[in-house]
Amino acid sequence: MADLSQKDWTKQLEEDNNSVVLDVRTQEEVDLGIIPNALHIDIYKGQGFIEEVEKLDKNKNYFIYCKAGGRSAQACAVMNQLGFEQTFNLVGGFSEWQGNIALNE
């Protein structure tokens, strides 16, 4: 797991053609906006989160965020334990995000 500032997270994401953006916030938070093309899996689902993550490709690089950076750091740690080698946590999370935002339809 790597904690990255928004600048580094965005730069690395733009240069990575094997990446997945993962939003681990609640549905209520996602309804307020989401980073475009992000996959949403709520970390508060507990075992459900693990089951959904297990279906993902472990060979991809995961750029993970939540509201402030705490839950996404947890998600990175869980995913690392499950065999995902490349996880990147967005420090400051969505609340400090300066990039584009999509409204969840």
Side-chain angles (χ1 to χ4, degrees):
M1 175 182 103
D3 285 322
L4 299 177
S5 67
Q6 178 174 324
K7 181 181 173 198
D8 292 340
W9 195 85
T10 307
K11 182 176 187 295
Q12 215 164 313
L13 178 60
E14 286 171 356
E15 295 170 354
D16 190 336
N17 59 7
N18 189 38
S19 63
V20 175
V21 176
L22 180 61
D23 183 326
V24 298
R25 299 175 300 156
T26 65
Q27 186 61 54
E28 292 76 21
E29 290 171 310
V30 169
D31 289 344
L32 300 174
I34 191 168
I35 294 175
N37 304 314
L39 175 66
H40 173 234
I41 305 176
D42 184 349
I43 194 166
Y44 286 153
K45 285 184 176 174
Q47 186 62 33
F49 173 79
I50 291 170
E51 288 167 6
E52 288 192 49
V53 164
E54 283 282 15
K55 298 174 189 171
L56 302 175
D57 184 346
K58 290 187 169 129
N59 295 314
K60 293 200 175 285
N61 303 320
Y62 290 87
F63 291 78
I64 305 172
Y65 72 95
C66 64
K67 185 174 181 179
R71 285 174 283 169
S72 49
Q74 273 184 310
C76 287
V78 167
M79 290 175 73
N80 291 153
Q81 289 173 346
L82 294 172
F84 292 84
E85 291 185 15
Q86 297 296 318
T87 60
F88 304 97
N89 180 37
L90 176 60
V91 173
F94 192 76
S95 60
E96 294 183 20
W97 179 249
Q98 304 286 312
N100 292 334
I101 295 174
L103 289 175
N104 203 17
E105 310 268 328

